């Protein structure tokens, strides 16, 4: 079913055309949900925006719109408030009909998009020979949630893991291992991943301090890029080992990705540079080949170039990103490119997109968007690190969340004198712990930094995953207590909305489609989190005020349907955030 907002906008478009002619067809009715229920459910202030072009008073314009507005099947008669707001209140009968439609099938009334796109979502992207750390958390789960929502809407989504499997770091590592642990370059898993990371740090230190080592490392990169067999064999072993470690994290977080790392584009880099040269965009500066981009200057105010080939002949991130963008459009036929990368890379992507447009690789009908995100901070407000000052390993962070979730659960079971199996405790601890971490991140506006707190994210009250999971579990408890099989409740059973909390809950339930449209457009998963949090609150308020199992028929079944729709909506919403539900907690 089309969302309520979409239906109302369509009716306003007809009314504007009927009242003022076709020149106003397609005018944005500036229709939004009201912030205060006393003004109804939706409010339009289009009359004020039209006052100047139409040279009429806003109240007069509003009256003309309302006289042509055909919404009797959706709303009570519109009200005009000063100076020209049009207030709309949805009818209970309309709400009941929409809830009936939500009962049909598994999509809860959300229609697939009529205009499916090929979308590439670039997210996670750890570096080979390094362990995934807390900084990868945001990219991984934000990207996964965006991909899930777009997939649910019917878009063809390619989830790409643009791993750092090429470049200078391999030159450093291979050069260092050749000296101190050559077996690691010829034998699979000769080193533990932790030891490999330690060697990488030592290699980086040597690279920064020793000019001879730096030059040897650079030559090793050139050798690798040239396809030397020994270098490629060593590189492949290091990649395979890291890849297996990454997969453990992805399996734990239920993340699906197609790996296509920087190395995939190696054969295309020379062509990127030569094509930019052919187009007259390339400039040589201090021996490097680059493109000067508009609007970017250094600290001295001089034009800032985007380097695509270094003075030593090597390529860099910009070259690879240009090749990747070009490939995704020409070979993957992408209509939309989404890069979920930290906010520190904003200038980089703005430069890459500008160069791609000037080269004709990024046409007007393809959208390329950088989805930035802020830092994960400790409770001291600084970047989250271990006590030793090291970056927190993502595996350690997730293990700690599960352990704390288990401790909370065992304490509660002891307090309630409940006996549960070890399997129940393990599964519940794992789902609650991981859900808490994901939701705490996703519920924040991704553009902001946020404070990481186990205590807050595992709390049973407030905007947390456990609170939402409890709302879902509460409905399952109703079903167990009443011996109810929700699947056997007929979809055509009449729904009766009598109490205020029932109407409030119903209005929120039918807003799911609108929220998903919003998130698909602005790529802010926290809007879905807020919707689900408010849904859980409204459900709990309804359940506290309205007897369900004790109600007389047909009200009892009607309220059971409200419970079921609330649970199904929470379950679907959490799935789109990458979060599992539990039947008991």
């Amino acid at each position: 079913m089309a969302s309520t907002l979409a239906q109302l906008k369509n009716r306003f478009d007809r009314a504007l055309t009927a009242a003022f002619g076709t020149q106003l067809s397609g005018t944005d009715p500036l229709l939004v949900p009201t912030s205060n229920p006393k003004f109804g459910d939706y409010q339009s202030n289009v009359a004020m925006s039209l006052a100047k072009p139409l040279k009429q008073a806003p109240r007069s314009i509003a009256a003309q719109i309302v006289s042509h507005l055909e919404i009797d099947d959706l709303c009570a008669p519109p009200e005009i408030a000063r100076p020209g707001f049009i207030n709309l209140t949805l009818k209970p009968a309309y709400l009941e009909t929409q809830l009936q439609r939500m009962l049909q099938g598994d999509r809860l009334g959300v229609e697939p998009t009529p205009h499916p796109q090929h979308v590439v979502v670039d997210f996670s992207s750890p570096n080979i020979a390094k362990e995934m750390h807390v900084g990868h958390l945001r990219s991984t789960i934000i990207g996964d949630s965006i991909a899930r929502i777009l997939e649910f809407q019917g878009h063809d989504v390619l989830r790409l893991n643009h791993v750092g499997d090429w470049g200078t770091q391999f030159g450093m590592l291979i050069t260092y291992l050749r000296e101190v642990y050559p077996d690691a370059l010829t034998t699979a898993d000769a080193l533990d991943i932790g030891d490999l990371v330690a060697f990488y740090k030592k290699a980086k230190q040597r690279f920064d301090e020793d000019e001879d080592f730096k030059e040897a490392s650079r030559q090793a990169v050139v050798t690798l890029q040239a396809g030397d067999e020994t270098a490629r064999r060593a590189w492949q072993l290091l990649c395979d080992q890291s890849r297996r470690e990454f997969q453990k994290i992805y399996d734990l977080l239920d993340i699906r990705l197609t790996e296509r790392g920087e190395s995939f584009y190696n054969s295309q880099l020379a062509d990127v540079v030569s094509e930019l040269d052919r187009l007259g965009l390339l400039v040589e500066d201090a021996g490097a080949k680059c493109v000067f981009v508009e609007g970017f200057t250094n600290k001295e105010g001089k034009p800032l170039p985007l380097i695509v080939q270094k003075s030593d002949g090597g390529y860099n991130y910009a070259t690879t990103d240009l090749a990747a963008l070009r490939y995704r459009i020409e070979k993957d036929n992408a209509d939309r490119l989404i890069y979920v990368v930290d906010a520190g890379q904003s200038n980089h992507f703005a430069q890459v997109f500008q160069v791609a447009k000037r080269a004709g690789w990024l046409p007007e009908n393809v959208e390329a968007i950088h989805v930035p995100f802020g830092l994960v901070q400790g409770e001291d407000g600084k970047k989250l690190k271990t006590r030793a000052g090291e970056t927190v390993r993502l595996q350690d962070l997730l293990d700690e969340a599960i352990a704390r979730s288990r401790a909370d659960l065992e304490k509660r079971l002891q307090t309630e004198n409940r006996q549960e199996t070890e399997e129940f405790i393990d599964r519940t601890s794992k789902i609650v712990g991981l859900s808490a971490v994901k939701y705490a991140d996703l519920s924040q506006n991704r553009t902001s930094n946020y404070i990481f707190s186990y205590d807050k994210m595992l709390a049973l009250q407030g905007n947390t995953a456990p609170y939402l999971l409890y709302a879902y579990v509460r409905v399952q408890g109703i079903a167990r207590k009443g011996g109810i099989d929700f699947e056997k409740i007929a979809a055509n059973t009449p729904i009766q909305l009598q109490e205020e909390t029932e109407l409030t809950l119903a209005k929120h339930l039918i807003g799911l489609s609108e929220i998903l449209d919003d998130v698909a457009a602005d790529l802010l998963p926290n809007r879905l989190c807020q919707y689900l949090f408010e849904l859980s609150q409204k459900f709990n308020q309804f359940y506290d005020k309205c007897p369900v199992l004790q109600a007389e028929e047909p009200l009892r079944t009607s309220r059971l349907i409200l419970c079921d729709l609330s649970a199904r909506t929470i379950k679907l919403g959490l799935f789109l955030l990458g979060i599992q539900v539990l039947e008991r907690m």
Side-chain angles (χ1 to χ4, degrees), residues 200 279 289 299 342 507 517 574 580:
Y200 176 84
L279 293 168
K289 295 179 180 179
K299 293 179 181 178
D342 69 271
K507 290 173 184 177
D517 285 343
L574 289 177
Q580 286 182 266

Side-chain angles (χ1 to χ4, degrees), residues 245-260:
E245 294 300 318
F246 297 157
Q247 195 58 47
K248 293 176 184 177
I249 299 284
Y250 295 140
D251 289 344
L252 189 61
L253 292 173
D254 189 24
I255 305 292
R256 292 182 296 103
L257 280 158
T258 297
E259 184 182 312
R260 195 189 286 171

Side-chain angles (χ1 to χ4, degrees), residues 528-562:
L528 176 56
C529 294
Q530 187 63 30
Y531 169 84
L532 295 173
F533 173 52
E534 292 176 7
L535 171 58
S536 300
Q537 288 180 311
K538 288 172 170 57
F539 167 74
N540 286 329
Q541 290 162 2
F542 150 74
Y543 186 71
D544 291 342
K545 290 285 178 73
C546 299
V548 177
L549 294 176
Q550 299 83 6
E552 297 292 328
E553 291 292 2
L555 200 54
R556 181 178 186 267
T557 298
S558 175
R559 288 178 176 170
L560 283 169
I561 290 173
L562 271 180

Side-chain angles (χ1 to χ4, degrees), residues 265-276:
Y265 307 99
N266 183 50
S267 62
Q268 304 164 40
L269 303 184
D271 186 56
V272 165
V273 176
S274 62
E275 181 67 6
L276 290 173

Side-chain angles (χ1 to χ4, degrees), residues 100-133:
Q100 291 282 6
R101 290 177 178 170
M102 287 183 72
L103 287 170
Q104 313 295 326
D106 298 327
R107 296 187 60 85
L108 296 174
V110 180
E111 294 182 351
T113 176
H115 307 293
Q117 294 181 309
H118 293 289
V119 184
V120 172
V121 184
D122 178 328
F123 67 103
S124 193
S125 307
N127 288 315
I128 295 295
K130 297 181 184 179
E131 291 177 286
M132 290 180 72
H133 56 75

Side-chain angles (χ1 to χ4, degrees), residues 140-173:
T140 302
I141 63 177
I142 292 170
D144 177 59
S145 179
I146 287 171
R148 285 171 182 257
I149 290 167
L150 294 173
E151 286 163 348
F152 181 73
Q153 286 205 315
H155 298 289
D156 178 21
V157 178
L158 176 57
R159 301 154 155 262
L160 284 185
N161 196 7
H162 188 80
V163 297
D165 65 350
W166 206 244
T168 305
Q169 73 264 31
F170 283 98
M172 293 189 306
L173 187 56

Side-chain angles (χ1 to χ4, degrees), residues 479-522:
R480 287 191 294 272
K481 184 178 179 181
I484 307 298
D485 184 348
F486 285 119
E487 293 184 3
K488 291 184 179 178
I489 296 177
N492 59 357
T493 301
I495 297 174
Q496 300 177 11
L497 303 174
Q498 299 178 354
E499 301 296 328
E500 191 61 39
T501 54
E502 292 177 300
L503 289 164
T504 300
L505 178 57
K507 290 173 184 177
H508 199 77
L509 282 167
I510 69 169
L512 175 63
S513 184
E514 292 170 20
I515 288 296
L516 295 183
D517 285 343
D518 289 344
V519 178
D522 60 30

